[in-house]
Every structure is written in structure tokens, then in C-alpha cells.
Amino acid sequence: TGNIDLSFAAGGAAFVLNTAALTQNVISLGAGLFYKNDHATISFDYDGEKASGYTGHTGTVTVRFRF
């Protein structure tokens, strides 16, 4: 683990980012579905990550209409 001291270029108070130790055994996976027609686009995406003591999930849904 470690700490990173950060601040924004535009100013403001400094802050510390606490980081986790890196592990050697990590599995990552992702999947997505995409549909498109003349009027709209819809996509579904999923990403997952599993390591010792850590599990992360991210899901995204995007809908776009053409007009």
C-alpha cells in the first residue's frame, strides 16, 4: 500500500490518495452487446475483476437517438 499526495492544477486543497497493494493473480473479463438501427443505438457493457480480497463490477448502458 502507499499514499499519493495530489492537488488540482486550478487550485484548492491538496488531498491524499490511498492505494492498495498490487496482487499477482488477477482475472479480468468483459462482455458487451450492441444494437443499431436507423434511429437509435443501444449498448450494454459489463466488466469484472477478481483478485485476492477484491471483486469489482462495472456496468454501462448507453442509449443514443438520432434526430
Side-chain angles (χ1 to χ4, degrees):
T1 63
N3 296 325
I4 302 172
D5 296 320
L6 301 168
S7 63
F8 291 105
F15 57 96
V16 176
L17 176 65
N18 298 316
T19 62
L22 297 176
T23 183
Q24 293 181 350
N25 299 315
V26 177
I27 185 168
S28 296
L29 61 97
L33 296 172
F34 181 81
Y35 173 78
K36 181 178 180 180
N37 64 22
D38 293 336
H39 306 288
T41 302
I42 302 171
S43 64
F44 303 92
D45 296 297
Y46 168 80
D47 292 300
E49 188 172 76
K50 176 69 175 152
S52 178
Y54 172 79
T55 302
H57 301 277
T58 304
T60 306
V61 176
T62 304
V63 179
R64 295 182 179 175
F65 295 99
R66 182 177 288 172
F67 55 95

